[in-house]
Every structure is written in structure tokens, then in C-alpha cells.
Amino acid sequence: MIRKKVLIQDRIRRTGKSFCFIPHRFLTDGFLQSLTRHELALYLFLVLASDKHGLSYYGDKSICSKLGLKEQDYLFARSCLIHKDLIVYDGTLFQVLSLPQSAHKI
């Protein structure tokens, strides 16, 4: 078994007042592997931009600009994340959802 130790003591990450986090299940249960790079970029952006309830009001053009995505790639990634039950979107508001039981593989 590998013994873990802190490598740089004065650089330990702190959560501070931020609400963003990604559950370890995202990695271990196959969610990470089930996403394309555009889906992953959008998901990470929404996690970082959301409040404690997973809500974010960023607009489509702003998201495309910040992620360097073409509109069609962004729209497809958004549609896929909705289909994979990771987010919901009502036309103006995003909500990052708790992870479903299993990763949706297509």
C-alpha cells in the first residue's frame, strides 16, 4: 500500500467559501470517462460557476466565449449533459444535479 504524505505543506488546498466540488464517484463510477472533452469542459464550468444549490445564470454566449467553444459544439455538449442526467436547463438557469445512480454510456 502506498503511504500518502503532503508534498508541499504550505500549498494544501482549502475550500474556503466556495461551494463547488465534484464527488469522488465522478471518477470511480465512470462519469469522467463517459464525457467528451466539450461535455467535460461545460460540466466543469457549470460546477465552478454554480452556487450551493448547483444553480448558475451564465448565458450561452458567455459560456462559449469563456470555454472557446463554437455554438454548435456548446449546444451539443449541453444537450448531452442533460440527456446524461447531469444538468437541467430551463432556458436561462442551469442546475448541476447530484450524480445519478450510474454513468450514462452512449
Side-chain angles (χ1 to χ4, degrees), residues 19 50-55:
F19 295 110
S50 65
D51 67 8
K52 67 180 179 180
H53 301 293
L55 303 175

Side-chain angles (χ1 to χ4, degrees), residues 27-65:
L27 175 63
T28 61
D29 289 3
F31 292 94
L32 176 67
Q33 299 89 325
S34 74
L35 301 181
T36 66
R37 64 185 172 100
H38 292 146
E39 293 167 9
L40 183 57
L42 179 56
Y43 184 78
L44 178 61
F45 176 85
L46 293 172
V47 167
L48 292 171
S50 65
D51 67 8
K52 67 180 179 180
H53 301 293
L55 303 175
S56 172
Y57 288 100
Y58 271 87
D60 297 344
K61 288 182 182 180
S62 180
I63 293 171
C64 287
S65 175

Side-chain angles (χ1 to χ4, degrees), residues 10-98:
D10 62 339
R11 295 288 307 277
I12 295 174
R13 287 189 320 155
R14 307 275 189 254
T15 57
K17 296 180 181 179
S18 175
F19 295 110
C20 68
F21 75 95
I22 298 176
H24 192 252
R25 279 188 56 228
F26 190 80
L27 175 63
T28 61
D29 289 3
F31 292 94
L32 176 67
Q33 299 89 325
S34 74
L35 301 181
T36 66
R37 64 185 172 100
H38 292 146
E39 293 167 9
L40 183 57
L42 179 56
Y43 184 78
L44 178 61
F45 176 85
L46 293 172
V47 167
L48 292 171
S50 65
D51 67 8
K52 67 180 179 180
H53 301 293
L55 303 175
S56 172
Y57 288 100
Y58 271 87
D60 297 344
K61 288 182 182 180
S62 180
I63 293 171
C64 287
S65 175
K66 290 190 180 297
L67 295 179
L69 291 178
K70 295 178 184 172
E71 184 179 13
Q72 66 189 27
D73 294 331
Y74 159 74
L75 292 173
F76 186 69
R78 185 181 75 191
S79 175
C80 290
L81 291 176
I82 292 168
H83 180 73
K84 292 176 181 181
D85 200 26
L86 294 173
I87 66 168
V88 290
Y89 179 64
D90 72 357
T92 57
L93 178 67
F94 286 95
Q95 182 180 350
V96 177
L97 302 172
S98 60

